[in-house]
């Protein structure tokens, strides 16, 4: 506490402060006190009145899948507001794209999902601007793209929105900013740049904005394989593995989330590459992300299995070979178009992209299985190259684990793919490995005694050999956890029957469930399964709800916006 004398001096001085002087003084005193805990701070520089912006209002929109874009946009909006600029914070899932023609300053923070796709809840906005010829000559914009550089389509959604705005006549007032997993510093510079532009001065603003140095890197868990079980019968043409992982520390996840794992390349392939190129396996190579031995880079960190066409083109430039526009593995490239020596191969190493993590829907429930155990369901993919059978990289990597092997993983939260309250009805459509999150849902509802009704549509090739989790699902039926079960085994009948055929037959009942507030989930292959299922659902809404095609589409979109229709497709 201040002495009475000091307090009177402070009171006398501060009583004559202007608003800006009060803000500056409070920041100054906070700085002296070392107040830097967990909040976005202003610097201790006084605002220069000459650099104050004439811009009074901007729109800051975000498109998010896991919540990072929303969190970041909210923090950045707070910074700009404190600088005296009004900010309209907009969720692209609810923003009306036709309002773009009314905007003057429009800034976007958006992530990229999967294979270069927009967040599910931002797809309506994304599609609208790409499918309509808008006139945005009055719009001034900037885009901050969030992504993960270990994926080939790094920040693709942000890049496409940035480019599309330019095509539509909008003025890009700051360059596109691409941000990796640890994005705080880049975001700080981006918002600083926006403020500098809005102040219409070439002098860098004296007001330095800082974001706390808090890493957003994913939490990595160290686990041990406790079970690897082939769910298919010996007569099946497929291999689908139930994999259980145990940890010593608690795992934070919810039903609907995904488990991310970074696969290693086959050891035999790495050894053959090293032998072909003559490079020293222990030689240390510095890449943009890591410095490690050649052996470790090729085994753990770099994509060598299916190179991008752009990488193949770079390989051709380095080696001098004339190579057609193809996608090949690094080993095949080296065999067909060899490098001259180990030094040239070092150049090749530096053009290789990083290994992308693979995501698998979690098939366990923390309530039922505890928080130190987690399950995934993995279909082993196989394909032929020159009549030689090859395994999919990650599915082969996981399915060949033995009990006791160590594995590192992380949790990818799925904001949109969550169970509703336990008393709400759900309809689950999940053929093949699409059953994974619904096994999690059913175990969770069974464990908590949920009162909502549960309806499952499952499909695969053959009843005898491909009915995944058969005994568990039938037990859920017996105990009443699962109220309705409809199955389609396409190879068991002369005419192939798929889940959408079963859905079509139950159209009236499905629509009644939806009208009563049921949530609807689809998981599995994107094309053609999820598209065929959605078309069937639209037809049901048209027929049973007496709506036209556009009204049926709006009905489904409203369900999606309200969190009652969710897809996890791949």
């Amino acid at each position: 506490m201040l002495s009475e004398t000091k307090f009177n001096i402070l009171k006398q001085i501060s009583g004559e402060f202007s608003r800006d002087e009060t803000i500056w003084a409070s920041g100054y005193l906070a700085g002296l006190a070392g107040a830097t805990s967990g909040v976005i701070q202003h610097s201790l520089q006084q605002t220069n009145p000459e650099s104050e912006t004439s811009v009074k209002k901007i729109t800051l929109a975000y498109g998010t899948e896991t919540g990072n874009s929303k969190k970041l946009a909210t923090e950045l909006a707070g910074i700009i507001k404190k600088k005296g600029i009004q900010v309209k914070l907009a969720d692209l899932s609810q923003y009306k794209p036709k309002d773009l023609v009314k905007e003057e300053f429009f800034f976007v923070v958006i992530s990229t999902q999967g294979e270069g796709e927009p967040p599910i809840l931002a797809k309506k906005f994304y599609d609208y601007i790409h499918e309509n010829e808008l006139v945005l000559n009055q719009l001034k914009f900037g885009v901050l793209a969030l992504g993960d550089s270990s994926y080939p389509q790094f920040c693709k959604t942000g890049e496409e929105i940035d480019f599309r705005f330019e095509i539509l006549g909008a003025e890009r007032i700051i360059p596109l900013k691409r941000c990796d997993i640890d994005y705080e510093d880049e975001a700080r510079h981006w918002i600083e740049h926006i403020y500098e532009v809005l102040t219409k001065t070439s002098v860098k603003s004296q007001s330095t904005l800082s974001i706390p140095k808090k890493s957003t890197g994913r939490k990595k868990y160290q686990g041990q394989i406790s079970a690897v079980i082939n769910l298919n019968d010996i007569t099946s043409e497929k291999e689908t593995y139930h994999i259980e992982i145990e940890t010593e520390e608690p795992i934070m996840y919810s039903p609907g989330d995904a488990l991310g794992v970074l696969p290693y390349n086959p050891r035999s392939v790495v050894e053959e590459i090293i032998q072909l190129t003559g490079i020293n396996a222990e030689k240390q190579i510095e890449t943009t992300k890591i410095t490690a031995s050649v052996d470790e880079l090729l085994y753990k960190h770099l994509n060598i299995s299916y190179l991008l066409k752009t990488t193949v083109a770079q390989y051709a430039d380095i080696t001098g070979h004339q190579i057609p526009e193809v996608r090949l593995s690094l080993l095949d490239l080296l065999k067909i178009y060899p490098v001259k020596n180990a030094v040239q191969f070092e150049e090749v190493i530096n053009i290789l992209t990083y290994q992308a993590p693979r995501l698998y829907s979690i098939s366990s429930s923390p309530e039922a299985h505890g928080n130190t155990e987690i399950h995934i369901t993995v279909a082993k993919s196989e394909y032929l190259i020159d009549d030689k059978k090859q395994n999919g990289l990650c599915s082969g990597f996981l399915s060949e684990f033995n009990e006791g092997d160590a594995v590192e993983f992380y949790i990818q939260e799925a904001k949109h793919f969550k169970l509703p309250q336990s008393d709400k009805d759900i309809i689950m459509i999940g053929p093949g490995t699409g059953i994974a999150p619904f096994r999690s849902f059913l175990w969770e509802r069974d464990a908590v005694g949920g009162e909502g009704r549960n309806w499952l549509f499952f499909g695969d090739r053959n009843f005898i050999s491909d009915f995944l989790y058969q005994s568990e699902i039938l037990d859920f039926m017996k105990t009443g956890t699962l109220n309705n079960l409809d199955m389609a085994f396409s190879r068991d009948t002369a005419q192939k029957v798929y889940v959408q055929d079963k859905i079509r037959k139950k159209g009236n009942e499905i629509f009644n469930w939806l009208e009563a507030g049921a949530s609807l989930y689809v998981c599995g292959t994107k094309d053609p399964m999820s598209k065929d299922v959605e078309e069937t659902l639209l037809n049901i809404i048209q027929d049973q709800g007496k709506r036209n095609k556009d009204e049926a589409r709006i009905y489904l979109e409203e369900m999606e916006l309200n969190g009652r229709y969710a897809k996890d497709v791949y």
Side-chain angles (χ1 to χ4, degrees):
M1 294 292 291
L2 292 176
S3 67
E4 184 176 353
T5 302
K6 291 180 179 179
F7 177 74
N8 288 332
I9 293 172
L10 179 62
K11 186 176 179 181
Q12 180 181 356
I13 296 173
S14 61
E16 299 177 359
F17 280 176
S18 67
R19 178 179 178 275
D20 285 342
E21 288 171 336
T22 301
I23 292 173
W24 181 88
S26 64
Y28 177 76
L29 294 173
L32 290 179
T36 58
S37 58
V39 293
I40 299 175
Q41 302 282 332
H42 283 288
S43 75
L44 308 183
Q45 300 288 338
Q46 183 174 5
T47 302
N48 183 350
E50 294 180 359
S51 69
E52 288 184 357
T53 176
S54 61
V55 176
K56 297 303 179 186
K57 182 179 179 180
I58 68 171
T59 296
L60 182 58
Y62 61 86
T64 190
E65 183 91 6
T66 64
N68 286 338
S69 295
K70 178 180 180 179
K71 179 183 176 184
L72 180 58
T74 303
E75 291 179 343
L76 297 182
I79 292 176
I80 289 293
K81 285 179 180 178
K82 290 178 181 178
K83 297 300 296 174
I85 299 174
Q86 184 180 351
V87 181
K88 181 175 74 175
L89 192 61
D91 184 342
L92 288 180
S93 69
Q94 300 175 18
Y95 183 82
K96 297 177 181 178
K98 63 182 181 181
D99 287 347
L100 279 171
V101 297
K102 306 173 186 175
E103 300 281 4
E104 184 179 5
F105 293 94
F106 191 81
F107 301 96
V108 180
V109 177
I110 193 163
S111 59
T112 296
Q113 310 306 316
E115 297 299 319
E117 298 172 350
I120 289 176
L121 296 181
K123 192 173 187 304
K124 184 177 179 181
F125 174 88
Y126 175 90
D127 289 344
Y128 185 92
I129 65 171
H130 282 85
E131 294 170 1
N132 294 275
E133 294 302 322
L134 310 175
V135 179
L136 300 181
N137 295 334
Q138 85 300 336
L139 187 71
K140 300 174 180 63
F141 76 95
V143 177
L144 185 147
L146 295 182
D148 184 338
S149 60
S150 59
Y151 282 90
Q153 303 292 348
F154 174 57
C155 290
K156 183 182 177 185
T157 297
E159 292 173 351
E160 290 176 339
I161 290 177
D162 180 86
F163 180 69
R164 184 60 180 169
F165 276 174
E166 182 180 43
I167 293 296
L168 295 175
E171 179 187 353
R172 182 189 297 105
I173 61 172
I174 59 170
L176 169 71
K177 177 71 77 175
R178 300 173 183 84
C179 295
D180 210 336
I181 295 172
D182 290 318
Y183 50 73
E184 271 92 350
D185 286 344
E186 294 291 334
R188 177 195 66 204
H189 296 313
W190 185 73
I191 204 69
E192 285 175 352
H193 196 174
I194 287 176
Y195 184 71
E196 289 168 17
V197 172
L198 295 180
T199 58
K200 297 183 174 69
T201 176
S202 60
V203 180
K204 187 174 181 180
S205 172
Q206 292 182 344
S207 181
T208 303
L209 308 170
S210 64
I211 293 175
K213 301 280 187 177
K214 183 179 70 174
S215 173
T216 57
R218 303 183 181 104
K219 162 68 177 172
K220 298 289 181 66
Y221 293 95
Q222 305 300 322
Q224 187 177 67
I225 302 295
S226 57
V228 180
I229 303 166
N230 185 357
L231 297 172
N232 298 100
D233 186 76
I234 194 171
T235 60
S236 177
E237 300 173 354
K238 304 165 69 175
E239 293 180 36
T240 308
Y241 289 90
H242 171 79
I243 299 174
E244 299 182 1
I245 303 170
E246 294 182 355
T247 60
E248 291 187 359
E249 65 175 316
I251 311 167
M252 302 298 293
Y253 79 96
S254 301
D257 290 346
L259 180 147
V261 62
L262 194 68
Y264 295 167
N265 293 305
R267 171 56 69 187
S268 59
V269 173
V270 173
E271 290 173 353
E272 191 171 356
I273 288 173
I274 291 172
Q275 184 178 5
L276 272 175
T277 59
I279 196 167
N280 179 1
E282 300 306 316
K283 182 177 177 62
Q284 296 289 304
I285 301 288
E286 182 180 355
T287 69
T288 56
K289 277 192 173 182
I290 189 174
T291 298
S293 68
V294 169
D295 180 77
E296 182 180 341
L297 287 171
L298 295 177
Y299 180 47
K300 293 184 177 181
H301 301 290
L302 299 177
N303 171 35
I304 63 175
S305 59
Y306 193 45
L307 306 186
L308 299 172
K309 290 180 181 179
T310 53
T311 305
V312 174
Q314 289 176 286
Y315 181 96
D317 289 339
I318 291 171
T319 60
H321 291 294
Q322 297 294 319
I323 305 175
E325 191 177 272
V326 292
R327 293 191 69 178
L328 294 170
S329 71
L330 179 60
L331 182 56
D332 287 336
L333 265 182
L334 290 167
K335 287 179 177 179
I336 303 170
Y337 309 101
V339 293
K340 292 178 182 178
N341 49 42
V343 174
Q344 192 175 73
F345 184 60
E346 283 188 43
E347 293 184 63
V348 172
I349 288 176
N350 281 291
I351 66 167
L352 298 176
T353 58
Y354 291 97
Q355 193 72 274
R358 274 60 165 181
L359 294 174
Y360 294 91
S361 296
I362 296 169
S363 52
S364 54
S365 152
E367 288 292 336
H369 301 100
N371 61 4
T372 58
E373 180 178 332
I374 195 165
H375 306 166
I376 54 175
T377 309
V378 179
K380 188 174 184 179
S381 59
E382 296 179 341
Y383 54 93
L384 294 175
I385 296 182
D386 297 330
D387 297 325
K388 184 179 179 182
K389 188 168 73 171
Q390 305 283 341
N391 291 326
L393 177 63
C394 197
S395 62
F397 171 72
L398 290 169
S399 63
E400 291 171 8
F401 268 116
N402 297 310
E403 291 185 20
D405 287 350
V407 62
E408 184 179 79
F409 65 92
Y410 66 91
I411 301 300
Q412 179 70 59
E413 185 180 4
K415 295 279 187 182
H416 70 287
F417 206 85
K418 293 294 187 186
L419 275 169
Q421 294 178 354
S422 61
D423 62 343
K424 301 295 184 182
D425 299 338
I426 59 173
I427 301 173
M428 302 164 284
I429 303 167
T433 52
I435 187 66
F438 304 138
R439 178 182 186 261
S440 175
F441 282 10
L442 290 169
W443 273 111
E444 182 81 0
R445 287 209 148 180
D446 181 72
V448 301
E451 297 177 357
R453 295 178 297 170
N454 307 305
W455 188 350
L456 174 66
F457 286 87
F458 173 75
D460 215 311
R461 292 183 180 178
N462 301 102
F463 176 86
I464 293 177
S465 58
D466 304 314
F467 188 172
L468 308 183
Y469 298 112
Q470 178 179 349
S471 61
E472 291 183 4
I473 291 172
L474 295 179
D475 283 345
F476 284 136
M477 281 293 292
K478 291 176 184 176
T479 60
T481 298
L482 187 57
N483 303 88
N484 292 26
L485 174 63
D486 285 89
M487 297 181 291
F489 293 98
S490 59
R491 304 301 195 272
D492 282 350
T493 53
Q495 183 175 356
K496 292 180 180 178
V497 178
Y498 299 102
V499 286
Q500 60 265 28
D501 299 313
K502 295 290 185 177
I503 292 168
R504 190 177 300 111
K505 288 184 177 181
K506 296 295 179 73
N508 180 56
E509 192 175 355
I510 287 174
F511 187 73
N512 289 337
W513 275 49
L514 297 182
E515 285 288 274
S519 294
L520 180 64
Y521 301 87
V522 180
C523 183
T525 56
K526 184 180 205 176
D527 195 8
M529 186 279 294
S530 71
K531 294 180 179 179
D532 291 341
V533 165
E534 184 161 299
E535 191 62 33
T536 303
L537 291 169
L538 288 170
N539 289 335
I540 289 173
I541 295 167
Q542 282 181 253
D543 296 340
Q544 301 297 326
K546 309 303 180 187
R547 290 168 168 81
N548 61 35
K549 190 172 184 178
D550 290 339
E551 290 170 339
R553 174 66 64 182
I554 291 171
Y555 183 99
L556 208 54
E557 286 178 353
E558 287 179 349
M559 283 187 58
E560 187 170 6
L561 289 174
N562 292 328
R564 290 181 49 225
Y565 176 42
K567 294 177 287 186
D568 181 5
V569 295
Y570 37 83

